Amino acid sequence: TLSPHVPAGARGGRVEVPRSVTAVLGQDVVLPCRYQAQEQEQVVQVTWLKRIPGAVPAEVAVLNLQHGEHVLESFAGRVLRHGHGALEDGAILLRN
């Protein structure tokens, strides 16, 4: 399970993600994540985590407004940012 990370105690707008996304083996899939910001808010970073029951969540990708995207080495070439521009759209693309 991959999910965007929302810091504890975060206030303001609302993170919108689908309850589930269906993928076809061998094809690309987009994992949407949209933040409905309130006035004066700006998203500066989106962190995607891989969650496995009984294990500590593992970081997969970090999308940062100033520093661009960073994908963990084990996911390099397979995880890409899907959107462009403002991080209110923090979707990622999983390849193959």
Side-chain angles (χ1 to χ4, degrees):
T1 301
L2 291 182
S3 63
H5 173 67
V6 179
R11 296 184 189 147
R14 186 177 74 233
V15 175
E16 297 177 348
V17 293
R19 184 177 276 306
S20 67
V21 174
T22 301
V24 177
L25 185 62
Q27 294 186 12
D28 295 352
V29 65
V30 173
L31 298 183
C33 175
R34 179 158 290 281
Y35 183 74
Q36 293 296 333
Q38 292 187 350
E39 190 176 334
Q40 305 287 327
E41 283 187 314
Q42 180 184 31
V43 177
V44 294
Q45 183 167 298
V46 175
T47 303
W48 280 88
L49 303 174
K50 181 176 183 179
R51 298 179 187 272
I52 300 172
V56 175
E59 189 175 280
V60 172
V62 177
L63 313 177
N64 186 285
L65 187 63
Q66 185 175 18
H67 302 290
E69 67 183 66
H70 170 75
V71 176
L72 251 62
E73 191 173 323
S74 58
F75 294 97
R78 294 180 45 221
V79 175
L80 305 166
R81 180 170 180 205
H82 185 256
H84 299 285
L87 285 176
E88 279 75 7
D89 178 0
I92 57 173
L93 172 76
L94 300 181
R95 300 186 82 187
N96 194 13

